[in-house]
Amino acid sequence: MKKFLKIFFVLLCFLLFSRVQAKDKLRIDYNDVNLREGPGTNYRSIKKLGVSATFDLVEKTLFPNEKGCSDGWYKIYYSGQNVGYVCASYITLYEEKDTPVEPNTDCEKEMASLGFPNTYWNGLCSLKEKHPNWTFTADITGLPFDVATSKESVIGKSFIQSNYQGYFSTESGSYDYLTDTFKVMEGSNWYAASKEVVAYYMDPRNFLDERFIFMFEKLSFDESYQTVEAINAILNGKDIKEKSSVIYEAGKTYNANAIYLASRIKQETGGNYTGNSLKGSTITYNGNTYYPVYNPYNIGANTGVYDGLVWAVSGTSYLRPWLSLDNAIKGGANFITYYYISKGQDTSYFQKFNVSSYSSYAAYAHQYMTNIRGAANEASITYDGYKEMDLLNSVNYKFVIPVYDNMPSNVSALPNGGNPNNHLKNLTINGKTINGFSHDNFSYNYYVGSGINKVQIAGEVINSKVSIAGTGEIDLNSDKTIVTLKVTAENGNTQDYVINIIKTDGANVSVNDIVASSAVPVSESSFILTAGYTVEVLKELFLKSCSSAEISFSNKASGLLATGDEITIKNGDDAKTYSIAIKGDTSADANINIADLLKIQKHILGYINLSGSFLKAADVNSDGSVDIKDLLIVQKHILGYTTIK
């Protein structure tokens, strides 16, 4: 019933052909972007927003720089009519339009009635014209395309082999901007794929042609065309060709497309049939040595072929241990049918990207491979075999093609393959590194005396193929000069480093102003922080507020801050010392544990009297008193139920 309603809704949209007014929308381009109560970093953060989240704009007017964001702020609806503000540097604006396109031809009308959006029609109707007996079914996934690509871009989900660094993910855990190095995820040359690459391979519209449509082919057995001869055409020689009849029987026995089984073997063994998973290897597992061990489908090879060989001997189900190639072929077919084909993952596409509305498993889980090109490669192999056997026109192939919610109007494209590094290694003013510089800190305040009229700005790149605009001699013709250095990577991606150069009388910015502009929570003479803050992080926050400030700590030069630590901020003739209060840390060890719980309990009972920063640390809910509510919050934090914020 649910499936029917989805298709009915899509069809209704096509039949109405009504145009609605464009909505002004905003999309978040980074993770952990602060949604604030007002247009400035001095306002409280309501929540963290994730990459690809979308919101309605309250109005298109851009609020000016009210602290912390040189590009200004946008006001958005984030929950019903609740509003907040986000920094314009981290978002993309776009218009959301509902502009249905009226189908003209009989084929377009058929595709629309099946639930395919108009951007699918051209590819599908071209195929239908060549192959009238082919059948296309839309799987209305109910999943937003942007969310799906984000889920499949999580590090560890999708890997790629390529000479183009622009195809690799720059997310944390995959890439280090400072050293310009990508982490090898598997083998010697498999890297995490970028979200843009994942979007390209997930977008079905990129593969609606005669070759790649077979990634959407239904994977059940059909003896009318899945013959031993057709399998021979797929395997194109080599010793494995002798196993064509075994593959055929495996497909027939377990109701799996035998052509697909042959294509997967070819894909998983690199097409040369010489890999360790196919030629037989020696494996020692649980003290026993097995030889020869086979795994032609690389089942269980999550981080490499070796894992798959261990899986082939680590149980007794599916004809294991696989000490003969015949058993490996048959047992593997049984496994694939049971765990994938019969559970709704019945195309190569759905086995790579588990987004089918028919799947028995949660979306984005239980996926057969990490190779982002795996489904496309298998489709290409299958097509070549069908073509050689002259089966393209004579078979009534059935294809199930996913349709996502909110698909982009333009088909997803592969990114530029150039190096993506657009960060600086160093940033200097008048030959001296700006205080608080970090390659991933993109905004600075720099104070100069009122008599200074020029400065010299230079940037040092990390990657030699980067270009920088905005450096050189800068005239200071007003009390505040905003300098933007635009750093452009080889792949064309840009990153702005913004320096606010502010004239003062001898750079005498007050410590109170420095603290206020940093947005670090302060109560009287104590900074109220959550566990995990370090000397380095707190120092950088104040230097970002005022690069000429001098920051020192009473009893440590680096590492985690604990309740009772002290920090002195000095700028010009103004200086002030603050104590540190880490919420929940009443024992001054930078951690929150049972010792802290007992101290708060004893304070409530009157056995001890916490004071100063330790009293502020015990007031974890910041309501001005230490009571049973604070005790319960600390207890839940220790047990892992909540996190003190």
Side-chain angles (χ1 to χ4, degrees):
M1 184 63 181
K2 181 180 177 183
K3 183 75 173 180
F4 171 78
L5 289 174
K6 285 183 182 177
I7 295 175
F8 175 76
F9 176 76
V10 174
L11 178 58
L12 182 63
C13 289
F14 281 113
L15 295 177
L16 290 176
F17 307 124
S18 61
R19 296 179 179 267
V20 298
Q21 188 172 6
K23 277 187 189 175
D24 294 325
K25 302 280 286 186
L26 171 151
R27 182 179 68 246
I28 307 298
D29 293 333
Y30 298 86
N31 271 317
D32 295 327
V33 174
N34 283 305
L35 175 70
R36 296 189 179 276
E37 291 181 337
T41 52
N42 52 319
Y43 288 90
R44 186 180 71 87
S45 175
I46 300 170
K47 61 190 294 190
K48 297 282 189 180
L49 305 179
V51 66
S52 298
T54 58
F55 303 92
D56 291 327
L57 280 172
V58 175
E59 57 186 289
K60 252 189 173 178
T61 305
L62 186 68
F63 287 79
N65 177 20
E66 296 290 347
K67 288 185 184 297
C69 183
S70 60
D71 292 326
W73 299 78
Y74 279 106
K75 187 177 182 181
I76 66 169
Y77 293 111
Y78 68 90
S79 177
Q81 293 300 304
N82 294 324
V83 298
Y85 296 80
V86 292
C87 174
S89 304
Y90 305 118
I91 62 93
T92 295
L93 294 181
Y94 65 98
E95 286 187 340
E96 184 183 66
K97 300 178 181 178
D98 184 7
T99 54
V101 178
E102 183 175 359
N104 293 316
T105 67
D106 289 342
C107 178
E108 288 180 351
K109 292 175 183 177
E110 179 187 356
M111 294 303 119
S113 70
L114 292 173
F116 289 109
N118 65 288
T119 51
Y120 284 65
W121 297 348
N122 185 56
L124 292 176
C125 288
S126 294
L127 288 170
K128 196 73 173 174
E129 184 178 357
K130 291 180 182 178
H131 308 286
N133 55 332
W134 288 9
T135 301
F136 306 111
T137 300
D139 185 335
I140 312 299
T141 67
L143 304 172
F145 185 72
D146 212 31
V147 172
T149 55
S150 294
K151 295 288 188 181
E152 293 290 351
S153 302
V154 172
I155 304 303
K157 279 277 190 183
S158 299
F159 299 162
I160 188 170
Q161 287 177 317
S162 177
N163 294 323
Y164 297 117
Q165 293 183 329
Y167 289 179
F168 304 157
S169 172
T170 56
E171 294 297 313
S172 176
S174 169
Y175 181 63
D176 185 337
Y177 272 100
L178 189 58
T179 60
D180 195 23
T181 54
F182 293 91
K183 180 181 178 181
V184 175
M185 295 293 170
E186 184 177 305
S188 61
N189 60 352
W190 285 93
Y191 299 90
S194 71
K195 184 181 177 183
E196 293 77 14
V197 169
V198 171
Y200 174 83
Y201 283 99
M202 288 191 74
D203 193 333
R205 298 168 299 180
N206 281 314
F207 303 100
L208 302 181
D209 60 30
E210 195 173 54
R211 175 176 293 274
F212 293 107
I213 190 67
F214 286 97
M215 70 168 67
F216 308 113
E217 181 188 6
K218 288 276 286 183
L219 296 181
S220 54
F221 181 77
D222 187 335
E223 63 181 358
S224 68
Y225 70 95
Q226 295 168 29
T227 63
V228 173
E229 291 74 22
I231 295 171
N232 283 337
I234 292 290
L235 301 178
N236 64 20
K238 307 291 184 181
D239 293 341
I240 186 64
K241 190 172 181 180
E242 299 175 1
K243 299 298 180 181
S244 294
S245 60
V246 178
I247 296 171
Y248 173 84
E249 289 299 330
K252 184 176 181 179
T253 300
Y254 299 110
N255 193 29
N257 186 321
I259 304 297
Y260 153 75
L261 295 177
S263 298
R264 173 143 295 179
I265 291 173
K266 186 171 183 177
Q267 155 71 15
E268 290 294 335
T269 56
N272 55 16
Y273 314 108
T274 59
N276 290 335
S277 60
L278 193 62
K279 69 182 182 181
S281 298
T282 301
I283 291 294
T284 299
Y285 175 74
N286 278 352
N288 297 316
T289 299
Y290 299 88
Y291 178 81
V293 180
Y294 301 90
N295 190 342
Y297 307 102
N298 276 336
I299 296 170
N302 298 318
T303 61
V305 171
Y306 180 79
D307 287 353
L309 294 172
V310 170
W311 187 90
V313 300
S314 59
T316 57
S317 57
Y318 310 107
L319 305 180
R320 290 182 296 172
W322 289 344
L323 303 181
S324 76
L325 186 53
D326 285 14
N327 279 357
I329 290 170
K330 295 174 185 176
N334 186 7
F335 175 88
I336 291 168
T337 296
Y338 181 78
Y339 275 100
Y340 293 92
I341 296 174
S342 68
K343 301 297 172 59
Q345 291 176 267
D346 56 350
T347 70
S348 292
Y349 182 96
F350 288 141
Q351 289 188 18
K352 169 58 190 126
F353 307 113
N354 182 23
V355 295
S356 173
S357 63
Y358 298 103
S359 175
S360 301
Y361 304 100
Y364 320 118
H366 194 260
Q367 296 177 160
Y368 190 91
M369 64 189 92
T370 54
N371 181 0
I372 191 68
R373 296 184 175 123
N377 290 345
E378 289 177 2
S380 182
I381 294 168
T382 298
Y383 167 81
D384 286 337
Y386 288 158
K387 185 176 181 181
E388 182 175 333
M389 292 298 296
D390 196 23
L391 292 172
L392 294 177
N393 297 312
S394 59
V395 176
N396 300 328
Y397 294 110
K398 297 177 177 64
F399 303 96
V400 181
I401 305 167
V403 174
Y404 297 89
D405 292 348
N406 302 325
M407 294 193 74
S409 56
N410 295 321
V411 178
S412 307
L414 285 172
N416 184 302
N419 182 281
N421 198 317
N422 53 16
H423 288 201
L424 291 178
K425 186 177 182 180
N426 197 13
L427 178 57
T428 64
I429 297 183
N430 296 332
K432 182 180 178 182
T433 299
I434 191 169
N435 278 341
F437 174 78
S438 173
H439 75 94
D440 54 359
N441 178 7
F442 307 119
S443 181
Y444 301 87
N445 290 334
Y446 186 83
Y447 296 87
V448 298
S450 57
I452 303 298
N453 296 315
K454 295 180 184 293
V455 293
Q456 189 75 26
I457 296 180
E460 182 183 357
V461 302
I462 296 172
N463 184 279
S464 62
K465 296 178 180 178
V466 165
S467 64
I468 311 175
T471 58
E473 188 173 83
I474 307 298
D475 293 325
L476 308 180
N477 298 320
S478 61
D479 290 340
K480 180 178 179 181
T481 302
I482 300 175
V483 180
T484 300
L485 275 61
K486 188 172 290 292
V487 183
T488 304
E490 182 188 17
N491 70 352
N493 289 350
T494 61
Q495 176 62 60
D496 289 347
Y497 286 77
V498 178
I499 309 171
N500 301 303
I501 303 177
I502 304 165
K503 288 186 177 183
T504 66
D505 292 329
N508 288 324
V509 180
S510 72
V511 171
N512 285 342
D513 286 343
I514 293 171
V515 171
S517 65
S518 72
V520 175
V522 61
S523 174
E524 298 174 348
S525 293
S526 295
F527 292 126
I528 314 300
L529 308 175
T530 53
Y533 266 84
T534 64
V535 166
E536 293 82 2
V537 168
L538 195 59
K539 184 176 181 180
E540 182 180 334
L541 287 173
F542 293 123
L543 288 175
K544 284 172 67 176
S545 181
C546 178
S547 62
S548 61
E550 298 176 23
I551 314 295
S552 60
F553 292 81
S554 59
N555 59 356
K556 60 180 61 174
S558 63
L560 287 171
L561 289 166
T563 298
D565 288 340
E566 292 186 338
I567 177 176
T568 299
I569 304 172
K570 183 176 184 297
N571 192 49
D573 296 329
D574 192 15
K576 192 171 182 180
T577 297
Y578 297 82
S579 62
I580 302 295
I582 303 296
K583 288 185 177 183
D585 173 30
T586 57
S587 56
D589 63 356
N591 295 305
I592 302 172
N593 50 39
I594 191 66
D596 303 299
L597 189 70
L598 291 173
K599 283 204 169 189
I600 296 173
Q601 184 184 50
K602 289 179 179 179
H603 173 85
I604 294 171
L605 295 173
Y607 297 141
I608 62 174
N609 185 27
L610 296 173
S611 61
S613 58
F614 291 90
L615 183 62
K616 290 180 170 62
D619 181 17
V620 291
N621 64 358
S622 300
D623 65 353
S625 64
V626 178
D627 51 30
I628 189 65
K629 290 181 287 187
D630 301 295
L631 191 70
L632 290 174
I633 292 172
V634 173
Q635 183 184 49
K636 289 180 179 179
H637 177 95
I638 294 171
L639 294 173
Y641 297 145
T642 60
T643 300
I644 293 175
K645 299 179 180 179

